[in-house]
Amino acid sequence: MHLRSLLNAVDEPALHYITGSVIADARGPFLRSALINLGRDNGVRIGYAVINGDGLIGRTVDAGASVTRVLLLNDLNSRIPVLVGPAGVRALASGDNSAELRLDFLPDGAQLYPGDEVYTSGSDGMLPRGLRIGAVTGSPGAYKVRPSAELNSLDVVSVLFFDTPALTTTDPPSIADPRALSATPEGTPSAAASAPRPTAANEQLPMDAAVKQAIGASDGAPAGEARAQQ
C-alpha cells in the first residue's frame, strides 16, 4: 500500500456481481449457450463475463428484462484472448463446439506444457484480466484447453459487472418488449440510462470464496503470478 501511494497508482475497480441460476441450455451441433434468470432489471448488460465456482463459463450476448443468454466458452463463435502458463504467453482460446478449446495464434517457439493454467488477458477490452479458463492439454502443434468449469452441467452462475469503453459502445439500446431478448431500433433510451445499477440487495459483498477462486487473481496481479504465489 505504501509503495502504491508513492507511485500515485490508481486502485483497481472492485468487481461487483450478481448470482442466479441456469434455467435452460441449448446444446447441439452448432450451438452452445445457456439462459439464466437475470436480466437488465438486475443491471446485466451484453458483454459481461459469466463465471461459476470453477472459472469462466462464457459471456452475455443477449439480455431481456429478466432473462439473459450466455454464449459458452466452447461455442463455435466464442473467442477469448488469454494468457498461458507462468510466462504469460498470449494466445486466443477458440471454441469449436467440442469439449475442449483450441489455442490459436500462439507465437512461434512458445514453450507450453500440459497443465499450464490459462487465464483471460483482458486485451479485448471486454473481460477482466485474470479469470480462470482452464488448463493446457495436447502437444505442440495441437494444443487444447480443457475448461475448468463443467460446461455440460451448469447450475448456479454469477455475472460480473465490468464496464469498459468497449462494452458501453457495443451494448445495444434497451428493449421495448420485456419478454424479448433482442434490441429495439435506434431512438430508444440506452441501456446505460435505463438499467439500474447493482444495489446492496444484489451486490453480494464481500466476495464469497467461490467467486474469488474463479477470478484467480487479486489486487491487479497478473493471473500467472497469482497462481505462482499460491
Side-chain angles (χ1 to χ4, degrees):
M1 181 64 69
H2 179 62
L3 180 60
R4 293 181 64 85
S5 63
L6 288 176
L7 294 175
N8 198 28
V10 176
D11 290 332
E12 292 289 334
L15 281 179
H16 303 296
Y17 62 95
I18 186 170
T19 300
S21 299
V22 174
I23 57 177
D25 58 18
R27 292 193 299 270
F30 307 106
L31 183 65
R32 298 289 190 279
S33 68
L35 293 179
I36 59 176
N37 64 346
L38 303 169
R40 292 190 182 271
D41 287 350
N42 308 108
V44 176
R45 301 184 63 181
I46 293 175
Y48 281 162
V50 183
I51 66 175
N52 66 6
D54 297 317
L56 182 70
I57 69 166
R59 69 173 82 193
T60 60
V61 291
D62 230 350
S66 58
V67 177
T68 296
R69 184 180 303 279
V70 179
L71 186 74
L72 301 182
L73 288 175
N74 59 343
D75 186 271
L76 186 63
N77 297 299
S78 176
R79 303 287 187 274
I80 308 291
V82 297
L83 299 173
V84 185
V89 177
R90 293 186 178 272
L92 193 69
S94 305
D96 59 6
N97 291 344
S98 65
E100 296 185 328
L101 317 177
R102 299 193 317 269
L103 271 181
D104 297 329
F105 302 108
L106 282 166
D108 294 337
Q111 296 292 322
L112 303 184
Y113 303 94
D116 280 351
E117 295 282 353
V118 181
Y119 292 87
T120 55
S121 69
S123 61
D124 60 350
M126 299 286 286
L127 298 177
R129 179 188 176 100
L131 299 180
R132 180 179 292 109
I133 290 182
V136 173
T137 63
S139 57
Y143 285 120
K144 297 275 192 175
V145 179
R146 179 181 295 113
S148 298
E150 180 50 66
L151 301 178
N152 289 328
S153 57
L154 297 171
D155 185 11
V156 177
V157 299
S158 295
V159 179
L160 299 181
F161 293 95
F162 184 73
D163 290 307
T164 65
L167 185 145
T168 55
T169 56
T170 56
D171 187 23
S174 61
I175 57 176
D177 185 350
R179 298 168 299 175
L181 284 175
S182 56
T184 55
E186 294 182 1
T188 58
S190 67
S194 61
R197 297 307 304 154
T199 64
N202 64 21
E203 282 183 356
Q204 298 191 20
L205 296 176
M207 192 172 292
D208 58 42
V211 174
K212 282 185 178 180
Q213 180 182 5
I215 291 177
S218 61
D219 296 332
E225 295 180 9
R227 288 294 292 174
Q229 293 169 4
Q230 295 176 4

